[in-house]
PDB file of all heavy atoms in Angstrom:
ATOM      1  N   GLN A 243      10.440   5.625   3.180  1.00  0.00           N
ATOM      2  CA  GLN A 243       9.325   5.348   2.255  1.00  0.00           C
ATOM      3  C   GLN A 243       8.975   3.818   2.215  1.00  0.00           C
ATOM      4  O   GLN A 243       7.835   3.420   2.196  1.00  0.00           O
ATOM      5  CB  GLN A 243       9.653   5.814   0.799  1.00  0.00           C
ATOM      6  CG  GLN A 243       9.927   7.303   0.667  1.00  0.00           C
ATOM      7  CD  GLN A 243       8.783   8.181   1.301  1.00  0.00           C
ATOM      8  OE1 GLN A 243       7.601   7.912   1.018  1.00  0.00           O
ATOM      9  NE2 GLN A 243       9.114   9.191   1.986  1.00  0.00           N
ATOM     10  N   CYS A 246       7.120   2.979   5.354  1.00  0.00           N
ATOM     11  CA  CYS A 246       5.696   3.385   5.223  1.00  0.00           C
ATOM     12  C   CYS A 246       4.908   2.346   4.385  1.00  0.00           C
ATOM     13  O   CYS A 246       3.816   1.969   4.859  1.00  0.00           O
ATOM     14  CB  CYS A 246       5.609   4.713   4.620  1.00  0.00           C
ATOM     15  SG  CYS A 246       6.064   6.179   5.622  1.00  0.00           S
ATOM     16  N   TYR A 279      -2.518  13.404  -6.099  1.00  0.00           N
ATOM     17  CA  TYR A 279      -2.083  12.859  -4.804  1.00  0.00           C
ATOM     18  C   TYR A 279      -0.607  13.259  -4.590  1.00  0.00           C
ATOM     19  O   TYR A 279       0.118  13.580  -5.500  1.00  0.00           O
ATOM     20  CB  TYR A 279      -2.181  11.344  -4.792  1.00  0.00           C
ATOM     21  CG  TYR A 279      -3.627  10.943  -4.889  1.00  0.00           C
ATOM     22  CD1 TYR A 279      -4.189  10.593  -6.124  1.00  0.00           C
ATOM     23  CD2 TYR A 279      -4.429  10.894  -3.769  1.00  0.00           C
ATOM     24  CE1 TYR A 279      -5.533  10.271  -6.210  1.00  0.00           C
ATOM     25  CE2 TYR A 279      -5.743  10.548  -3.909  1.00  0.00           C
ATOM     26  CZ  TYR A 279      -6.260  10.217  -5.069  1.00  0.00           C
ATOM     27  OH  TYR A 279      -7.627   9.902  -5.132  1.00  0.00           O
ATOM     28  N   PRO A 280      -0.175  13.085  -3.325  1.00  0.00           N
ATOM     29  CA  PRO A 280       1.286  13.418  -3.014  1.00  0.00           C
ATOM     30  C   PRO A 280       2.136  12.485  -3.824  1.00  0.00           C
ATOM     31  O   PRO A 280       1.771  11.383  -4.242  1.00  0.00           O
ATOM     32  CB  PRO A 280       1.341  13.116  -1.521  1.00  0.00           C
ATOM     33  CG  PRO A 280      -0.057  13.287  -0.960  1.00  0.00           C
ATOM     34  CD  PRO A 280      -0.914  12.808  -2.047  1.00  0.00           C
ATOM     35  N   SER A 281       3.393  12.795  -3.925  1.00  0.00           N
ATOM     36  CA  SER A 281       4.319  12.030  -4.810  1.00  0.00           C
ATOM     37  C   SER A 281       5.120  10.982  -4.009  1.00  0.00           C
ATOM     38  O   SER A 281       5.970  10.285  -4.677  1.00  0.00           O
ATOM     39  CB  SER A 281       5.259  12.966  -5.514  1.00  0.00           C
ATOM     40  OG  SER A 281       6.024  13.745  -4.624  1.00  0.00           O
ATOM     41  N   THR A 282       5.011  10.877  -2.765  1.00  0.00           N
ATOM     42  CA  THR A 282       5.737   9.810  -2.030  1.00  0.00           C
ATOM     43  C   THR A 282       4.784   8.933  -1.255  1.00  0.00           C
ATOM     44  O   THR A 282       3.701   9.361  -0.850  1.00  0.00           O
ATOM     45  CB  THR A 282       6.697  10.484  -0.973  1.00  0.00           C
ATOM     46  OG1 THR A 282       5.953  11.051   0.063  1.00  0.00           O
ATOM     47  CG2 THR A 282       7.675  11.472  -1.645  1.00  0.00           C
ATOM     48  N   PRO A 283       5.201   7.674  -1.029  1.00  0.00           N
ATOM     49  CA  PRO A 283       4.309   6.744  -0.316  1.00  0.00           C
ATOM     50  C   PRO A 283       3.905   7.266   1.071  1.00  0.00           C
ATOM     51  O   PRO A 283       2.754   7.216   1.427  1.00  0.00           O
ATOM     52  CB  PRO A 283       5.151   5.486  -0.190  1.00  0.00           C
ATOM     53  CG  PRO A 283       5.965   5.515  -1.432  1.00  0.00           C
ATOM     54  CD  PRO A 283       6.343   6.935  -1.626  1.00  0.00           C
ATOM     55  N   CYS A 284       4.864   7.788   1.845  1.00  0.00           N
ATOM     56  CA  CYS A 284       4.535   8.308   3.158  1.00  0.00           C
ATOM     57  C   CYS A 284       3.495   9.334   3.124  1.00  0.00           C
ATOM     58  O   CYS A 284       2.573   9.397   3.980  1.00  0.00           O
ATOM     59  CB  CYS A 284       5.724   8.734   3.923  1.00  0.00           C
ATOM     60  SG  CYS A 284       6.908   7.386   4.305  1.00  0.00           S
ATOM     61  N   ALA A 285       3.685  10.312   2.184  1.00  0.00           N
ATOM     62  CA  ALA A 285       2.723  11.419   2.145  1.00  0.00           C
ATOM     63  C   ALA A 285       1.321  10.926   1.739  1.00  0.00           C
ATOM     64  O   ALA A 285       0.322  11.414   2.175  1.00  0.00           O
ATOM     65  CB  ALA A 285       3.226  12.446   1.136  1.00  0.00           C
ATOM     66  N   VAL A 286       1.285   9.955   0.803  1.00  0.00           N
ATOM     67  CA  VAL A 286      -0.031   9.315   0.461  1.00  0.00           C
ATOM     68  C   VAL A 286      -0.667   8.651   1.660  1.00  0.00           C
ATOM     69  O   VAL A 286      -1.820   8.884   1.984  1.00  0.00           O
ATOM     70  CB  VAL A 286       0.149   8.335  -0.687  1.00  0.00           C
ATOM     71  CG1 VAL A 286      -1.116   7.433  -0.851  1.00  0.00           C
ATOM     72  CG2 VAL A 286       0.470   9.081  -2.010  1.00  0.00           C
ATOM     73  N   ILE A 287       0.095   7.902   2.370  1.00  0.00           N
ATOM     74  CA  ILE A 287      -0.362   7.069   3.483  1.00  0.00           C
ATOM     75  C   ILE A 287      -0.897   7.955   4.622  1.00  0.00           C
ATOM     76  O   ILE A 287      -1.903   7.726   5.215  1.00  0.00           O
ATOM     77  CB  ILE A 287       0.636   6.060   3.911  1.00  0.00           C
ATOM     78  CG1 ILE A 287       0.858   4.995   2.824  1.00  0.00           C
ATOM     79  CG2 ILE A 287       0.283   5.455   5.240  1.00  0.00           C
ATOM     80  CD1 ILE A 287       2.088   4.167   2.985  1.00  0.00           C
ATOM     81  N   TYR A 288      -0.091   9.025   4.948  1.00  0.00           N
ATOM     82  CA  TYR A 288      -0.496   9.843   6.117  1.00  0.00           C
ATOM     83  C   TYR A 288      -1.293  11.093   5.681  1.00  0.00           C
ATOM     84  O   TYR A 288      -1.622  11.904   6.553  1.00  0.00           O
ATOM     85  CB  TYR A 288       0.818  10.234   6.824  1.00  0.00           C
ATOM     86  CG  TYR A 288       1.395   9.101   7.575  1.00  0.00           C
ATOM     87  CD1 TYR A 288       2.445   8.385   7.114  1.00  0.00           C
ATOM     88  CD2 TYR A 288       0.900   8.729   8.838  1.00  0.00           C
ATOM     89  CE1 TYR A 288       2.975   7.307   7.821  1.00  0.00           C
ATOM     90  CE2 TYR A 288       1.377   7.675   9.527  1.00  0.00           C
ATOM     91  CZ  TYR A 288       2.420   6.970   9.051  1.00  0.00           C
ATOM     92  OH  TYR A 288       2.934   5.857   9.742  1.00  0.00           O
ATOM     93  N   ALA A 289      -1.763  11.166   4.487  1.00  0.00           N
ATOM     94  CA  ALA A 289      -2.655  12.271   4.127  1.00  0.00           C
ATOM     95  C   ALA A 289      -3.978  12.029   4.944  1.00  0.00           C
ATOM     96  O   ALA A 289      -4.394  10.912   5.213  1.00  0.00           O
ATOM     97  CB  ALA A 289      -2.996  12.183   2.623  1.00  0.00           C
ATOM     98  N   PRO A 290      -4.643  13.154   5.314  1.00  0.00           N
ATOM     99  CA  PRO A 290      -5.812  13.023   6.151  1.00  0.00           C
ATOM    100  C   PRO A 290      -6.921  12.135   5.555  1.00  0.00           C
ATOM    101  O   PRO A 290      -7.204  12.187   4.346  1.00  0.00           O
ATOM    102  CB  PRO A 290      -6.361  14.492   6.253  1.00  0.00           C
ATOM    103  CG  PRO A 290      -5.107  15.321   6.014  1.00  0.00           C
ATOM    104  CD  PRO A 290      -4.263  14.506   5.034  1.00  0.00           C
ATOM    105  N   GLN A 292      -7.110   8.930   4.802  1.00  0.00           N
ATOM    106  CA  GLN A 292      -6.884   8.011   3.698  1.00  0.00           C
ATOM    107  C   GLN A 292      -6.851   6.547   4.179  1.00  0.00           C
ATOM    108  O   GLN A 292      -7.343   5.741   3.479  1.00  0.00           O
ATOM    109  CB  GLN A 292      -5.523   8.326   3.038  1.00  0.00           C
ATOM    110  CG  GLN A 292      -5.549   9.729   2.293  1.00  0.00           C
ATOM    111  CD  GLN A 292      -6.705   9.915   1.366  1.00  0.00           C
ATOM    112  OE1 GLN A 292      -6.811   9.134   0.390  1.00  0.00           O
ATOM    113  NE2 GLN A 292      -7.590  10.833   1.603  1.00  0.00           N
TER     114      GLN A 292
END
Side-chain angles (χ1 to χ4, degrees):
Q243 301 304 317
C246 284
Y279 295 96
S281 62
T282 67
C284 292
V286 165
I287 291 164
Y288 287 99
Q292 298 304 302

